Amino acid sequence: NDIKKIFFTILPTEFLSILLNFYSKTPKFKRIFNCLNKVQISFNDKNPIDNEIALSFLNQKKTLSFPIQWNSNKYSQLWRFNLHYFDWGREFLEIKLKTGKWTYDSKFLEILIDDWINNNRLGIGDGWHSYTISLRIRNWILLFRICPELNNQFRVDSLWQQICWLYLNKEDYIGGNHWLENLISLIVGSLQFEGGKAKEIFRFSLKELEKELLHQLL
């Protein structure tokens, strides 16, 4: 698996994109979960003039300028991993659901999603680590489902591409929580899409999850 990752890293991005699209073009995003409470992105200014945002992980607050340097060596890898997880995006949403109000930094949400897509070359950097993909997939799905305005084809294409990349770069050789996170995200992710490839990913991941849970629990 490590050799495969190295091989993917040295391939040109354009070739990787062709390979991944050949592997599976983006299927239709399902129209499901109508029972969820929908939240409107109702900012006065969806394109804030401010050119920076402050995020805090691991008791370390950093001020980031746009475009974000997602893989900057100025930050520890663990801090960068937290940046790529998009847990903070889910936290913006949780505050909105609890208080009825978006935080100030929430207005950057759309910009940050697009900035991640535009500035993380396919297969390169912390954002394409299988573990960070696993957490980001679930966070993006939650955001896209509860905030339908975030759901456009550009972002859905990226979501599907990340699911396919994760399926091709599973951490079964590591096992443990990494493997569980991979499988759970593949199950949740595949359920969002129609088509044969999504069903293949779902069936495989559900079977492997059952095996891994039995192994870990017993």
Side-chain angles (χ1 to χ4, degrees):
N1 199 80
D2 287 340
I3 294 174
K4 180 174 63 176
K5 284 186 175 181
I6 294 172
F7 177 69
F8 281 157
T9 300
I10 63 177
L11 287 175
T13 303
E14 295 77 10
F15 182 83
L16 280 175
S17 299
I18 293 171
L19 177 65
L20 218 54
N21 287 333
F22 176 78
Y23 176 73
S24 182
K25 293 182 179 179
T26 306
K28 185 177 180 181
F29 196 54
K30 289 181 180 177
R31 303 187 69 177
I32 54 177
F33 302 127
N34 292 327
C35 60
L36 288 177
N37 292 325
K38 302 296 192 301
V39 172
Q40 186 177 4
I41 303 292
S42 53
F43 308 131
N44 292 329
D45 182 5
K46 290 188 180 181
N47 297 295
I49 297 175
D50 313 59
N51 193 42
E52 54 187 31
I53 182 174
L55 295 172
S56 181
F57 317 124
L58 310 173
N59 294 317
Q60 297 178 34
K61 187 174 183 179
K62 308 288 185 183
T63 299
L64 309 176
S65 300
F66 292 96
I68 302 297
Q69 301 300 308
W70 295 90
N71 296 290
S72 174
N73 290 326
K74 291 190 297 183
Y75 320 122
S76 70
Q77 187 177 47
L78 186 56
W79 200 94
R80 296 196 307 266
F81 268 36
N82 278 270
L83 178 63
H84 285 278
Y85 293 158
F86 271 77
D87 283 349
W88 40 268
R90 190 192 66 240
E91 290 167 4
F92 291 165
L93 179 59
E94 288 172 350
I95 293 172
K96 166 64 175 176
L97 291 171
K98 288 178 181 178
T99 67
K101 297 180 180 179
W102 289 102
T103 64
Y104 173 79
D105 287 338
S106 299
K107 66 174 63 180
F108 291 101
L109 191 53
E110 288 186 270
I111 299 171
L112 284 163
I113 291 173
D114 291 342
D115 192 90
W116 188 93
I117 297 171
N118 289 324
N119 293 293
N120 282 277
R121 178 185 167 193
L122 177 61
I124 303 297
D126 298 317
W128 290 98
H129 188 287
S130 298
Y131 188 77
T132 61
I133 291 177
S134 296
L135 300 190
R136 186 173 56 254
I137 282 174
R138 301 205 298 267
N139 286 327
W140 279 22
I141 288 170
L142 186 65
L143 289 165
F144 292 176
R145 290 301 184 185
I146 296 183
C147 304
E149 291 173 75
L150 293 175
N151 169 12
N152 63 31
Q153 195 59 49
F154 177 64
R155 295 164 189 160
V156 169
D157 284 345
S158 178
L159 176 63
W160 178 248
Q161 188 178 60
Q162 292 173 60
I163 292 169
C164 290
W165 181 268
L166 178 59
Y167 189 52
L168 289 172
N169 294 277
K170 300 179 288 292
E171 295 177 294
D172 50 344
Y173 62 100
I174 294 178
N177 68 312
H178 278 242
W179 184 217
L180 286 175
E181 294 288 1
N182 292 174
L183 292 170
I184 292 169
S185 294
L186 287 171
I187 290 170
V188 173
S190 62
L191 285 172
Q192 312 306 309
F193 293 89
E194 298 180 357
K197 179 54 64 176
K199 290 178 180 178
E200 173 194 318
I201 294 172
F202 173 77
R203 287 192 294 265
F204 169 85
S205 302
L206 190 63
K207 182 179 179 180
E208 292 298 315
L209 179 61
E210 182 180 12
K211 288 164 54 178
E212 184 64 18
L213 286 175
L214 286 172
H215 174 71
Q216 293 208 29
L217 292 175
L218 302 179

